Amino acid sequence: MASLLSSSFTLPSSKSDISSLSQKHYFLHSFLPKKANQTNSKSLLKVKCAAVGNGLFTQTTQEVRRIKPENNQGLPTVKIVYVVLEAQYQSSLTQAVQSLNEKNRYASFEVVGYLVEELRDVSTYKAFCKDLEDANIFIGSLIFIEELALKVKAAVEKERDRLDAVLVFPSMPEVMRLNKLGSFSMSQLGQSKSPFFQLFKRKKGGAGFADSMLKLVRTLPKVLKYLPSDKAQDARLYILSLQFWLGGSPDNLENFVKMVSGSYVPALKGTKVEYSDPVLYLDTGIWHPLAPCMYDDVKEYLNWYGTRRDISEKVKDPTAPVVGLVLQRSHIVTGDDGHYVAVIMEMEAKGAKVIPIFAGGLDFSGPVERFLIDPISKQPFVNSVVSLTGFALVGGPARQDHPRAIEALMKLNVPYIVALPLVFQTTEEWLNSTLGLHPIQVALQVALPELDGGMEPIVFAGRDPRTGKAHALHKRVDQLCTRAIRWAELKRKTKAEKRLAITVFSFPPDKGNVGTAAYLNVFSSIYSVLKDLQKDGYDVEGLPETSEALIEEVIHDKEAQFSSPNLNVAYKMGVREYQRLTPYAAALEENWGKPPGNLNSDGENLLVYGKQYGNVFIGVQPTFGYEGDPMRLLFSKSASPHHGFAAYYSFVEKIFKADAVLHFGTHGSLEFMPGKQVGMSDACFPDSLIGNIPNVYYYAANNPSEATIAKRRSYANTISYLTPPAENAGLYKGLKQLSELISSYQSLKDTGRGQQIVSSIISTAKQCNLDKDVELPDEGVELPAKERDLVVGKVYSKIMEIESRLLPCGLHVIGEPPSAMEAVATLVNIAALDRPEDGIISLPSILAETVGRDIEEIYRSSDKGILKDVELLRQITEASRGSISAFVERTTNNKGQVVDVAKKLSSILGFGINEPWVQYLSNTKFYRADREKLRTLFEYLGECLKQVVADNELGSLKQALEGKYVEPGPGGDPIRNPKVLPTGKNIHALDPQSIPTEAALQSAKIVVERLIERQKIDNGGKYPETVALVLWGTDNIKTYGESLAQVLWMIGVRPISDTLGRVNRVEPVSLEELGRPRIDVVVNCSGVFRDLFINQMNLLDRAVKMVAELDEPAEMNYVRKHALEQAEALGIGVREAATRIFSNASGSYSSNINLAVENSSWNDEKQLQDMYLSRKSFAFDSDAPGAGMMENRKVFEMALSTADATFQNLDSSEISLTDVSHYFDSDPTNLVQNLRKDGKKPSSYVADTTTANAQVRTLSETVRLDARTKLLNPKWYEGMLSSGYEGVREIEKRLTNTVGWSATSGQVDNWVYEEANTTFIQDEEMLNRLMSTNPNSFRKLLQTFLEANGRGYWETSAENIEKLRQLYSEVEDKIEGVDR
């Protein structure tokens, strides 16, 4: 211990002692604990090759935990085998056994230990089974990972009857049932009636479980009276064993071994082996390495703290920050506490007081409330809290209780940081991994604490491969302590002195793009935030009068071209100053040369763009820097940030000295910079850039996946904002005329005019280009009445689809919640879904029942174009909207605000007769709808309405800036999951091991069957052999893994969940049950999906390989068919040939096709396809998960060349194909055509699960639907233009994304461009509005039209092109201020 303390704070003073290492290695290893006599630098270099080994995450083996007795002098040998989750017991148990062998009295002890994670390795598992063959005693603890738990169970079960004792401490029930000690056994666990077993039954495997074990230890005598006497003795020894184990010190473990051996090993039967009782430590309390004892009273601890002589004056100062630490008791009692000591000492060295609390069970919420909150004033004793356990606050690795944790943290109300010690890897293994943390540790110790509102997953401690002891990583400890103190400072500083840096984005870096963010009117939002902060006492001196003036001041004349310094320059940083302030500047030179470079620089200085108002700085984040360079876009790994990017963050932290940075809107590029995926080292760029500044980040509520990347990689406290209220697309121009013609047809169809009206319908439909979506007969052909109905029905169905499409209208402004009437469309869609878990039946179902029909059947029939059902569906839709509008009107006041809903609701619900929805329905054909079902549904809608209009976006920001706790909440689609509301919560994703859910699998089956059906219709009844598809992070969070389940169902396997509801296994579905061949897949996972769901990538890869190895005929198993062909062609094994799960290299995101298209920096389509292949060909291999993403381009190309169809999912109404560039960025349609031997273009499909009536459409149908409902729809573009400057950019973005689809798939019809040209260019008034509102974006719009024509995607008249060219030069002159 002493050596750890003495050497722990000496950082390498000079580079000479590691001279043989290159600069880069120095950078990586500089925070390994320095060995006292480290002269041999070669030992560090060995690390590089060690990480290959077995391809798993950890290369350690049981041999470092094996102790053999040296001389046994004829004594009997007792062999003990143990398996534990974490290594903290290793050193303590080793000491205990060595001490016994030195005394050499009763027996010689041989002991060997395994970490659960090591059992993944085949040879290690064999060694484990072999060790059990001659073992006497088996011990297991905290075995909660199902696939490994089953391995342990299988091995121990074989030997259980022969073993003298089997002791398993809190683990999964399957493993707990292995316990046996004499007559005591747990094989009946969870089934028996005795109170002993009831304890385990209550919360199987949860926090309650471990705590009930502790309770059990205390209430022993009461329990024993229920048990017969010999059993009572064995049960008592089990309880004593548990006390010894939880006591954990070498003495306790020595007595534990003596007790169990003496009582149960036959060879020692006659010998009297004496042992002392367990030394008991407090279950919960306060511990400090220098304190004389553990405290269970915070006042006593603070009294002792006040008498310390070894601390600086700074710490004694009554105003010093106080940081609470949460520790794991097992590390303290086993003496494996070096990493805790380092954090405590570092905090105190930095001038903070600490209160380190611990708990023995898995529930830390009690101790948090008991020791960190003043019982009298209810105020916290601390300014911030850091959990060093890595676990969720309640429940550790087992079942969690997040609501209980959140309740405790809300009372505490300070920032809550959860840092991590490495559990499954050694320090070197983590350093060399591109993934960073082990996926299971990410699931247990990053994803779960996020659900409690935990932030900043910083790896602060490593693990020694030999002793298994934890050691501090000093640079990481320094980062962790500084950040915790900076958060604490926010609680202590006055508002007037706090400095805030607001960071906006400009993406792509074009004129007119400053302040880009999804669905957000950025400058109006900033303005409303600043006004509010000003009123609150923040210093915002010189804030202009309007948000327009604010835009002007930040970007001067909106001439927001990055390469010309026309943005307002806030600071010029000289090169020497930059190098002094930016310690990692040299690491950027490999990609960008010497500073200042040519980005964000004037050739001499680096320029920081933005404007300061008092203590608030509004700055523009630089971009990636390589978007305009086609060669760089081809690199498979992304470049580091450029000097200008680094200079921006150095300025914010060290010159402006921000107390916090506020990243404004979804999303910037800081969190997507290269580095480890999760659990970064100090050589990872996001970590270096954000430095020590607390980071608050406004993120769109519907994007939990990228928000999670921002949390993990830029340590952000993410605060959700609402997307704009949705409205129905409605009808316009020719579409409106069509709908009028159809209603006159319905009233006159049986008179002589029917035929004539049908002719008009057909010609109008053709003018509206609906002939691409509906087969229309020629005009003037005589049709029998039945066929006429069908033609009209199909056109009607198409129009209704367009009319009822949801669109977010306009842009959201922070702190302006929607009015009640704006919320109607959202509520109608919430009401359209069944919610069996809440006992809610959807409104369309209730209405359909009233007329004796099933809603699903009406959906199907309407899709087919059966006229009377299209009409019925329209009536149902209208009645839903009408009854919900009536309900909302009754709950609002004349200003349109929702008044006390609860009061209004009770008055509405009190009188059966005048419920507004019943009143409304009484005048329709649905007047007999079921009152009870309606009432249940409307009570739920009332709750939802309250949440939609609640507003806490500003409130939460202010809480974060005042150093308070921001309540966590899920991100996602408010229609599927209304719990996303109200916004202003700290967004989290979900437990990655909980998906796909059973419900997701059911939805997935429907979509897969429809997809295959559709493909067969389009391809002469043939099954598709391979489908190439995309998995997105956000989609799988919103739908709980629907698209993940689609992949599993295509290849014909089903996910199996364990007793804790986690999915870590799959099993094949028989071909009989499947009823079709297994379809091969090529899965392109987005970089975000890879970061969040690496466990699920592992699951998918295992599933595909399992299917490839099934002994089935090739024509029924396309996975096997292709894998065998590819194995032969490439001369590799079938498992490697069955590699199908691809993504980017770790730390890189996207195929860059989006950047190339947005910046027009590409020559031809082949170049785009090369980007896709070079960036997306990294495979995940479940046989070597520790190797991370490995490039496997050959197999990738061969697999893609068999694809008959490409496929994507749309899962929420806010984001469609042309709203964002991600979708075309991942589309391989044209690429597959080039790779296929027959050069045939694959079919392209899009599943749309945004409404209750799930559809599979072709890509071209979806692009047309999108164009009609958004780009060409007056309701949409007028909504956008009402936001002014930002609105023009939104219109231009949709057109650019449409060109993206032309480039990757060729599925955009000519008329889409033609109509867009008519709408925005031919209309003089519109043209002038666009030009004057945002000339830069208008110029880009003209450029995009010309580019679409030049690249051959749009054929149009010479006049149109001439006009565009002429306008282009006019705008150019206008922007440059040239008057002709």
Side-chain angles (χ1 to χ4, degrees):
M1 190 65 248
S3 71
L4 220 172
L5 271 180
S6 61
S7 69
S8 56
F9 298 103
T10 53
L11 293 172
S13 52
S14 73
K15 293 181 190 161
S16 60
D17 53 354
I18 13 183
S19 55
S20 67
L21 288 173
S22 70
Q23 192 60 39
K24 209 161 177 191
H25 284 132
Y26 165 64
F27 206 24
L28 269 176
H29 294 286
S30 53
F31 51 83
L32 281 172
K34 193 168 159 232
K35 308 235 175 30
N37 54 355
Q38 174 91 49
T39 48
N40 176 3
S41 58
K42 289 204 182 81
S43 63
L44 279 182
L45 277 175
K46 277 194 205 130
V47 172
K48 277 288 170 240
C49 45
V52 191
N54 55 12
L56 296 172
F57 283 89
T58 182
Q59 315 301 319
T60 53
T61 70
Q62 69 285 359
E63 295 312 315
V64 298
R65 285 172 234 102
R66 187 183 294 281
I67 300 167
K68 289 204 150 156
E70 284 172 15
N71 50 346
N72 59 1
Q73 301 169 351
L75 290 171
T77 302
V78 175
K79 181 171 176 188
I80 301 172
V81 179
Y82 65 94
V83 174
V84 287
L85 173 74
E86 300 179 84
Q88 65 258 44
Y89 275 89
Q90 178 183 332
S91 52
S92 198
L93 199 53
T94 304
Q95 249 174 291
V97 171
Q98 281 168 341
S99 149
L100 282 170
N101 283 342
E102 273 162 29
K103 296 178 189 154
N104 217 358
R105 283 185 52 196
Y106 322 100
S108 299
F109 291 89
E110 182 186 337
V111 63
V112 60
Y114 292 79
L115 299 182
V116 180
E117 188 53 35
E118 293 166 354
L119 299 178
R120 278 181 205 279
D121 183 56
V122 183
S123 55
T124 309
Y125 183 64
K126 278 201 186 115
F128 171 60
C129 295
K130 193 154 178 46
D131 269 326
L132 284 171
E133 285 169 13
D134 60 348
N136 300 86
I137 299 168
F138 171 76
I139 304 168
S141 170
L142 290 184
I143 302 168
F144 282 112
I145 298 159
E146 187 197 28
E147 42 187 321
L148 301 174
L150 294 174
K151 281 183 138 179
V152 171
K153 175 177 175 233
V156 176
E157 239 167 14
K158 275 213 287 286
E159 302 290 331
R160 181 173 183 261
D161 295 341
R162 190 196 57 70
L163 283 160
D164 302 329
V166 177
L167 289 150
V168 182
F169 304 119
S171 290
M172 291 184 74
E174 295 88 317
V175 195
M176 293 294 291
R177 292 195 187 105
L178 296 168
N179 265 310
K180 73 154 198 178
L181 213 51
S183 60
F184 170 79
S185 147
M186 280 200 187
S187 52
Q188 312 287 273
L189 178 60
Q191 298 150 14
S192 154
K193 289 275 180 290
S194 87
F196 187 92
F197 289 116
Q198 293 305 315
L199 272 171
F200 294 98
K201 215 165 164 175
R202 267 212 318 280
K203 290 188 196 154
K204 202 159 52 176
F209 180 89
D211 284 328
S212 46
M213 286 198 96
L214 290 173
K215 214 172 266 141
L216 185 62
V217 175
R218 293 183 216 112
T219 54
L220 227 193
K222 296 181 202 146
V223 176
L224 290 184
K225 67 170 192 249
Y226 292 104
L227 300 171
S229 57
D230 57 333
K231 269 195 173 171
Q233 187 49 22
D234 290 326
R236 195 178 78 85
L237 290 188
Y238 177 75
I239 303 292
L240 276 178
S241 304
L242 184 62
Q243 286 184 332
F244 277 127
W245 186 257
L246 293 172
S249 61
D251 283 353
N252 272 334
L253 294 181
E254 188 176 325
N255 283 308
F256 162 59
V257 170
K258 283 201 230 170
M259 175 185 88
V260 177
S261 315
S263 314
Y264 297 103
V265 175
L268 298 178
K269 263 291 183 271
T271 326
K272 186 158 174 45
V273 180
E274 295 192 349
Y275 61 89
S276 352
D277 278 342
V279 178
L280 296 181
Y281 297 97
L282 290 175
D283 279 338
T284 65
I286 304 172
W287 170 86
H288 191 291
L290 302 177
C293 61
M294 291 179 175
Y295 294 95
D296 70 349
D297 177 354
V298 67
K299 290 284 194 293
E300 282 177 35
Y301 169 77
L302 292 173
N303 288 343
W304 165 78
Y305 208 88
T307 62
R308 285 175 64 186
R309 297 213 175 117
D310 61 318
I311 45 178
S312 66
E313 287 308 309
K314 223 163 115 187
V315 181
K316 287 191 172 152
D317 182 348
T319 65
V322 186
V323 179
L325 300 175
V326 179
L327 317 176
Q328 230 176 320
R329 177 175 175 274
S330 59
H331 274 286
I332 300 171
V333 297
T334 57
D336 181 7
D337 54 13
H339 55 319
Y340 290 171
V341 174
V343 173
I344 292 170
M345 296 301 160
E346 185 70 15
M347 287 282 187
E348 294 182 342
K350 288 184 183 302
K353 292 188 174 77
V354 287
I355 304 182
I357 63 170
F358 64 86
L362 299 171
D363 181 352
F364 295 94
S365 61
V368 161
E369 291 185 21
R370 234 179 87 199
F371 302 125
L372 299 181
I373 299 175
D374 186 325
I376 297 150
S377 70
K378 298 282 179 273
Q379 288 303 308
F381 285 121
V382 291
N383 308 116
S384 66
V385 167
V386 182
S387 167
L388 299 179
T389 66
F391 287 121
L393 195 70
V394 182
R399 198 44 76 75
Q400 294 72 35
D401 182 349
H402 300 294
R404 172 79 195 87
I406 291 168
E407 182 195 347
L409 291 165
M410 297 270 281
K411 285 185 193 159
L412 189 62
N413 202 15
V414 298
Y416 173 56
I417 292 173
V418 181
L420 315 162
L422 291 176
V423 175
F424 301 118
Q425 296 146 291
T426 63
T427 306
E428 276 92 348
E429 285 161 357
W430 163 71
L431 276 178
N432 291 319
S433 163
T434 52
L435 297 175
L437 272 190
H438 186 295
I440 298 271
Q441 188 169 3
V442 174
L444 289 178
Q445 302 206 319
V446 181
L448 294 175
E450 282 170 353
L451 305 183
D452 296 340
M455 341 183 261
E456 313 215 357
I458 295 173
V459 176
F460 74 101
R463 189 160 67 70
D464 184 294
R466 262 197 354 270
T467 61
K469 277 198 157 186
H471 51 217
L473 300 168
H474 293 288
K475 283 200 170 177
R476 305 279 70 210
V477 167
D478 177 56
Q479 171 82 321
L480 172 67
C481 297
T482 311
R483 293 189 63 85
I485 292 170
R486 291 290 299 270
W487 276 109
E489 292 289 342
L490 286 175
K491 191 106 179 161
R492 299 171 50 253
K493 280 194 168 178
T494 64
K495 289 176 186 164
E497 61 180 336
K498 261 180 222 169
R499 297 174 76 79
L500 174 65
I502 296 180
T503 298
V504 299
F505 313 119
S506 172
F507 217 80
D510 182 290
K511 315 181 172 184
N513 271 348
V514 171
T516 31
Y519 321 105
L520 193 62
N521 188 332
V522 174
F523 281 105
S524 304
S525 297
I526 290 180
Y527 191 71
S528 97
V529 165
L530 290 182
K531 277 297 216 205
D532 208 80
L533 291 179
Q534 194 172 28
K535 200 167 79 216
D536 231 30
Y538 286 81
D539 170 6
V540 194
E541 193 189 333
L543 185 67
E545 290 302 300
T546 62
S547 64
E548 286 74 22
L550 182 70
I551 298 181
E552 284 297 337
E553 292 192 11
V554 174
I555 60 178
H556 278 353
D557 56 350
K558 298 188 193 169
E559 170 60 17
Q561 172 70 34
F562 266 49
S563 54
S564 66
N566 284 5
L567 273 175
N568 192 50
V569 174
Y571 189 76
K572 289 188 173 176
M573 189 182 289
V575 171
R576 295 186 65 175
E577 180 181 24
Y578 161 69
Q579 286 167 326
R580 192 184 80 243
L581 297 175
T582 317
Y584 53 95
L588 313 183
E589 292 181 14
E590 183 185 344
N591 279 309
W592 301 99
K594 291 259 181 259
N598 54 7
L599 294 160
N600 288 57
S601 97
D602 56 8
E604 287 173 40
N605 303 301
L606 287 152
L607 307 176
V608 176
Y609 295 119
K611 181 102 173 98
Q612 190 168 337
Y613 299 101
N615 280 341
V616 175
F617 167 67
I618 302 176
V620 181
Q621 185 189 63
T623 56
F624 286 116
Y626 48 75
E627 27 317 86
D629 178 348
M631 287 323 293
R632 282 203 180 205
L633 292 174
L634 279 165
F635 292 160
S636 62
K637 296 192 167 79
S638 301
S640 70
H642 56 81
H643 297 296
F645 203 100
Y648 177 82
Y649 282 96
S650 292
F651 166 80
V652 167
E653 182 179 1
K654 293 168 179 163
I655 294 172
F656 173 70
K657 295 194 164 45
D659 290 300
V661 60
L662 168 59
H663 285 99
F664 219 96
T666 306
H667 60 79
S669 24
L670 166 69
E671 61 271 31
F672 295 104
M673 287 296 175
K676 297 185 188 306
Q677 284 176 204
V678 188
M680 292 181 292
S681 74
D682 55 358
C684 297
F685 293 114
D687 182 276
S688 311
L689 288 161
I690 196 67
N692 296 323
I693 327 169
N695 180 8
V696 184
Y697 208 140
Y698 266 135
Y699 233 89
N702 67 351
N703 193 344
S705 63
E706 291 179 310
T708 302
I709 302 281
K711 286 174 104 78
R712 294 178 187 176
R713 301 186 86 238
S714 67
Y715 309 138
N717 187 345
T718 46
I719 296 178
S720 62
Y721 62 80
L722 203 56
T723 47
E727 292 182 37
N728 298 102
L731 298 172
Y732 54 93
K733 298 184 187 157
L735 296 170
K736 199 163 183 173
Q737 230 173 320
L738 260 179
S739 114
E740 285 155 10
L741 282 168
I742 291 171
S743 56
S744 54
Y745 172 77
Q746 285 182 298
S747 51
L748 301 170
K749 66 179 183 176
D750 302 326
T751 66
R753 293 193 50 207
Q755 180 64 45
Q756 190 189 345
I757 299 175
V758 170
S759 285
S760 314
I761 287 176
I762 293 171
S763 73
T764 313
K766 284 184 176 161
Q767 284 165 7
C768 295
N769 302 293
L770 285 175
D771 50 340
K772 300 271 195 317
D773 302 278
V774 181
E775 273 184 55
L776 296 172
D778 296 333
E779 294 160 54
V781 176
E782 279 285 330
L783 294 174
K786 209 165 174 189
E787 280 185 37
R788 287 201 303 244
D789 278 7
L790 196 59
V791 170
V792 175
K794 282 186 169 161
V795 173
Y796 195 9
S797 164
K798 200 74 213 163
I799 296 186
M800 291 315 299
E801 177 178 71
I802 294 169
E803 190 279 335
S804 60
R805 191 92 179 145
L806 274 196
L807 329 161
C809 277
L811 296 168
H812 178 64
V813 175
I814 298 271
E816 287 184 15
S819 69
M821 288 323 276
E822 284 175 329
V824 168
T826 307
L827 288 178
V828 170
N829 278 279
I830 289 176
L833 297 177
D834 286 324
R835 299 176 194 274
E837 66 285 358
D838 297 318
I840 287 165
I841 297 165
S842 75
L843 188 50
S845 297
I846 299 173
L847 299 179
E849 267 172 32
T850 315
V851 292
R853 295 286 300 277
D854 171 56
I855 189 70
E856 278 303 314
E857 178 204 344
I858 299 174
Y859 285 148
R860 289 300 131 267
S861 157
S862 163
D863 289 346
K864 288 187 188 122
I866 311 296
L867 186 57
K868 63 177 205 326
D869 283 349
V870 182
E871 178 57 26
L872 176 60
L873 185 57
R874 189 191 61 82
Q875 292 166 343
I876 289 177
T877 308
E878 227 159 72
S880 303
R881 289 178 193 169
S883 52
I884 289 175
S885 303
F887 160 64
V888 172
E889 272 167 19
R890 282 284 295 274
T891 51
T892 51
N893 60 18
N894 49 13
K895 285 194 191 135
Q897 292 151 325
V898 177
V899 277
D900 186 3
V901 177
K903 245 200 231 118
K904 284 263 186 169
L905 269 183
S906 52
S907 71
I908 290 171
L909 297 172
F911 307 96
I913 190 65
N914 65 359
E915 292 172 343
W917 51 91
V918 175
Q919 267 173 347
Y920 177 86
L921 291 174
S922 63
N923 302 321
T924 66
K925 59 155 62 166
F926 308 108
Y927 59 91
R928 305 200 358 226
D930 183 319
R931 290 281 182 92
E932 271 315 298
K933 288 179 181 168
L934 283 173
R935 181 171 295 188
T936 312
L937 172 68
F938 276 90
E939 277 177 1
Y940 180 74
L941 291 179
E943 278 308 302
C944 294
L945 179 61
K946 254 198 300 209
Q947 308 297 9
V948 175
V949 297
D951 169 36
N952 198 25
E953 294 168 356
L954 270 173
S956 297
L957 170 68
K958 289 197 284 202
Q959 272 176 295
L961 294 179
E962 285 161 29
K964 294 180 179 161
Y965 173 75
V966 177
E967 185 184 350
D973 179 3
I975 289 167
R976 281 176 189 262
N977 181 9
K979 290 193 180 69
V980 169
L981 304 166
T983 45
K985 290 183 177 156
N986 180 353
I987 309 180
H988 59 69
L990 40 74
D991 173 358
Q993 299 184 75
S994 65
I995 67 170
T997 57
E998 191 45 47
L1001 185 63
Q1002 294 316 319
S1003 311
K1005 284 181 181 175
I1006 296 170
V1007 171
V1008 170
E1009 296 315 328
R1010 283 190 194 161
L1011 170 71
I1012 293 173
E1013 202 45 47
R1014 180 83 205 241
Q1015 170 72 4
K1016 280 170 71 182
I1017 292 167
D1018 296 354
N1019 277 298
K1022 285 211 297 277
Y1023 280 102
E1025 289 201 4
T1026 305
V1027 176
L1029 46 85
V1030 186
L1031 291 180
W1032 298 107
T1034 285
D1035 294 19
N1036 280 292
I1037 294 171
K1038 289 178 186 169
T1039 62
Y1040 296 97
E1042 265 176 42
S1043 45
L1044 184 65
Q1046 288 165 0
V1047 179
L1048 295 172
W1049 195 246
M1050 282 177 197
I1051 61 174
V1053 300
R1054 66 162 56 89
I1056 305 295
S1057 55
D1058 66 15
T1059 38
L1060 300 175
R1062 296 178 308 197
V1063 182
N1064 286 316
R1065 277 193 310 142
V1066 285
E1067 62 181 33
V1069 175
S1070 69
L1071 286 169
E1072 292 77 53
E1073 185 187 337
L1074 202 56
R1076 60 166 168 80
R1078 302 183 194 278
I1079 311 287
D1080 197 359
V1081 290
V1082 187
V1083 184
N1084 162 12
C1085 303
S1086 73
V1088 173
F1089 181 91
R1090 174 206 60 210
D1091 286 5
L1092 300 190
F1093 296 116
I1094 196 105
N1095 295 303
Q1096 268 48 30
M1097 285 174 76
N1098 189 14
L1099 192 71
L1100 286 173
D1101 190 61
R1102 283 186 359 228
V1104 175
K1105 286 175 176 163
M1106 176 172 80
V1107 169
E1109 291 180 324
L1110 292 173
D1111 186 8
E1112 291 174 344
E1115 71 279 0
M1116 289 306 287
N1117 182 337
Y1118 297 136
V1119 183
R1120 181 167 177 75
K1121 175 183 166 183
H1122 298 151
L1124 289 169
E1125 290 166 6
Q1126 288 152 6
E1128 195 176 338
L1130 297 170
I1132 53 180
V1134 171
R1135 280 183 80 80
E1136 192 187 336
T1139 298
R1140 296 289 183 270
I1141 313 300
F1142 295 92
S1143 182
N1144 296 73
S1146 296
S1148 297
Y1149 301 82
S1150 111
S1151 72
N1152 282 352
I1153 293 174
N1154 54 353
L1155 295 177
V1157 169
E1158 286 166 348
N1159 296 281
S1160 310
S1161 49
W1162 54 291
N1163 305 328
D1164 54 19
E1165 290 180 11
K1166 172 146 190 359
Q1167 199 179 32
L1168 298 180
Q1169 292 166 19
D1170 284 344
M1171 286 177 198
Y1172 188 94
L1173 287 171
S1174 99
R1175 289 185 59 85
K1176 284 291 182 185
S1177 56
F1178 289 79
F1180 184 82
D1181 179 3
S1182 57
D1183 296 336
M1189 308 299 300
M1190 303 296 278
E1191 190 160 17
N1192 198 339
R1193 184 157 166 176
K1194 281 243 163 39
V1195 176
F1196 187 44
E1197 290 188 17
M1198 285 190 80
L1200 279 173
S1201 71
T1202 63
D1204 298 308
T1206 62
F1207 176 62
Q1208 299 217 35
N1209 282 285
L1210 288 178
D1211 62 283
S1212 78
S1213 53
E1214 296 126 357
I1215 313 179
S1216 192
L1217 290 186
T1218 55
D1219 293 326
V1220 290
S1221 56
H1222 300 62
Y1223 288 116
F1224 73 76
D1225 181 71
S1226 301
D1227 170 57
T1229 307
N1230 282 353
L1231 166 62
V1232 169
Q1233 180 178 6
N1234 279 355
L1235 292 172
R1236 279 182 71 105
K1237 293 195 183 81
D1238 58 7
K1240 178 173 171 264
K1241 188 166 221 157
S1243 320
S1244 234
Y1245 300 105
V1246 177
D1248 177 344
T1249 53
T1250 58
T1251 61
N1253 181 11
Q1255 301 281 349
V1256 174
R1257 302 189 183 89
T1258 64
L1259 176 57
S1260 54
E1261 284 168 355
T1262 313
V1263 172
R1264 289 194 287 270
L1265 179 62
D1266 234 34
R1268 289 184 176 121
T1269 50
K1270 297 222 166 110
L1271 188 62
L1272 306 174
N1273 182 355
K1275 189 170 190 176
W1276 180 83
Y1277 60 70
E1278 289 299 341
M1280 281 304 169
L1281 287 173
S1282 65
S1283 305
Y1285 168 78
E1286 268 112 344
V1288 183
R1289 178 174 69 220
E1290 293 291 329
I1291 292 168
E1292 174 270 306
K1293 191 167 95 182
R1294 297 304 182 293
L1295 187 70
T1296 302
N1297 290 341
T1298 307
V1299 171
W1301 281 110
S1302 289
T1304 62
S1305 72
Q1307 303 278 316
V1308 184
D1309 300 318
N1310 202 61
W1311 68 264
V1312 173
Y1313 294 113
E1314 197 60 44
E1315 291 281 315
N1317 183 54
T1318 310
T1319 307
F1320 299 110
I1321 308 296
Q1322 302 295 337
D1323 175 343
E1324 285 296 320
E1325 189 198 342
M1326 172 59 80
L1327 186 108
N1328 293 327
R1329 273 169 74 193
L1330 296 173
M1331 196 179 318
S1332 57
T1333 315
N1334 185 340
N1336 302 298
S1337 290
F1338 179 60
R1339 171 170 62 180
K1340 176 81 165 82
L1341 185 78
L1342 295 169
Q1343 186 188 323
T1344 308
F1345 273 122
L1346 288 167
E1347 187 180 345
N1349 171 259
R1351 293 190 189 273
Y1353 301 143
W1354 172 40
E1355 285 176 28
T1356 187
S1357 66
E1359 297 92 74
N1360 281 344
I1361 296 300
E1362 194 35 55
K1363 173 159 191 187
L1364 287 164
R1365 288 201 176 116
Q1366 207 180 327
L1367 280 168
Y1368 190 80
S1369 56
E1370 275 177 39
V1371 180
E1372 195 80 293
D1373 292 348
K1374 182 174 172 182
I1375 288 175
E1376 282 157 23
V1378 180
D1379 272 334
R1380 286 200 173 155

